Amino acid sequence: MPSTARSKLSAFAALGLDEALVTAVTGLGYEEPTPVQLQCIPLILSGKDLLAQAATGTGKTAAFALPMLQNLRSGAPAAAATAGRKSGRTAAVRTRGIVLVPTRELAMQVSEAIHKYGRGSGTTVVPVYGGASMPQQIRALERGADIVVATPGRALDHLRRGTLGLEGIQVVVLDEADEMLDMGFAEDIDAILEKAPKARQTALFSATMPPRLRKIAERHLREPERITIAREQPSGKVPLVRQIAYVVSRAHKEAALQRVLDIEAPESALVFCRTRLEVDSLVETLGAHGYRTEGLHGGMPQRQRESVMTRFRAAKLDLLVATDVAARGLDIRHLSHVFNYDLPCNPEAYIHRIGRTGRAGRSGTAITLTEPREHSLLRSIERVTRQKIEVVSLPTLADLRAKRLEVTAAAVREQLELGNLDDVRVVVESLAEEFDIVDVAAAAVRMAHASLGGDREDREIPAPVQPPSRDERKEGRKRGKAYADEHERFEVARLYVSAGRNIGIRPADLVGAITNEAGVTSRDIGSIEITERFSLVEVPDALADDIVRAMKRATLRGKKVLVRRERDGGSA
């Protein structure tokens, strides 16, 4: 095994992870542990409770998922399953780990990550969240779930139905706990933790530690180890380059990068990724898109890396896709653009990345693709660098087509300036006898446009659902006069929801469902009235129809509900 591969394996193995997990995580392209992983993994492996303050994007999922998988694998899953069969219960007893997260998007993301880390181990992971089919989730739980990743409201729904039990729970993780509190899930979290065995291990992760969260930690964690992952302060000068960020959902990042590359048309660019698997995937995708692209990561032999760099410096490549580890110490001149395909874990890494463009008095551009939930990480980078990162809308299909026509026009103009057209002029003169000369030129331009790839079809990239920011949610649950004063310039609509106290509906259920499904913020929700059989919710009139459409797929307390505008003269 090459020395570089051994060093990466030993970096994760030194934390106490077993060989299977170390192989899995390095196989996924992780090149070295992040600070939060370095501190959290040994503590969780030791069985201690943990109270960790770390921002989004620092590698928290692996920090709790890897040791959680190892601890649960070393337990007795077969015994738990047998106990479940003897007691007549389903997979509820078999479940030994539960991760609570604020949104369904994060539930899917965390579940996918745990599945990848534990692939081949036989560990089963099931995500449960509102807005999805309850019968389908019940069937998945009945088939068996070692680890459940859930939003608090849906977890309580399953607990009440008896389709999820916490009797066998060994580990509970609260991920982005401050976000869950801001969305009104404090009571749900308390209720879930009260039902879990007292002897469990609990790990709480949060970007901030407000007093309410500390009280929850005091009630439910046992002498927790406390760690804080501080933002690294930049040691070098922040480069003066044009900085732009596009907010894109994870599923559409590749398409978004291709579109931005087409618009920017960089002379030479460095694209940064977090893992070497992402590097390999992007190299293949961008190569198929017509870019001369090669990758650079720690899994490559040194000779191959040197060969790639030689071609890039000689302008034989358009794009170099690299991980931070592989790009350390690179001296690249004449770099017009740096792309952050993933946001780095800290501002220092961001500064190092963007500092590779705009050198020697030249202009440079740094472009970042950020996911909606990484808003706070982007703002923290701005605070440290003291520079504004302009958040702009992704170029539209119309923008892309206009850019491609510009490229075609430039190619035609270059040909005209070169002259030497005598051999084809006779064709033009002949066609001009039959057609208008402008039409002849237009047809020729269309053919040139097609030959340059400008006529290919591109799919629209949907705008991501923006989660509410913490500032927007901070006062979101305070209804009544404050809401009316703030929204007095807007028309307000009342929505009828066909569920009330008869099925245990609470304001937090309505706020959570509407913000999750419709992508609005809790600040957009006004007064809430809950009766025995139905509920009324005030929202801005301009958002009402969108919310009604989004809520067609929603469930509350496990039940399908009707949501519509309140009718004049009554709600029935």
Side-chain angles (χ1 to χ4, degrees), residues 51-118:
L51 185 60
Q53 185 171 348
T56 298
T58 53
K60 290 192 280 83
T61 302
F64 65 73
L66 292 170
M68 183 183 195
L69 282 165
Q70 181 162 315
N71 286 345
L72 293 184
R73 279 211 304 245
S74 64
T82 302
R85 287 193 294 270
K86 287 180 179 179
S87 67
R89 296 289 299 274
T90 61
V93 176
R94 182 185 170 190
T95 299
R96 294 173 296 136
I98 185 167
V99 182
L100 296 178
V101 297
T103 65
R104 61 178 181 173
E105 289 79 16
L106 188 55
M108 291 186 284
Q109 182 177 320
V110 170
S111 178
E112 179 184 353
I114 295 175
H115 174 74
K116 288 179 179 177
Y117 301 147

Side-chain angles (χ1 to χ4, degrees), residues 344-355:
C345 294
N346 56 66
E348 179 78 4
Y350 177 84
I351 292 168
H352 285 165
R353 286 182 178 186
I354 70 171

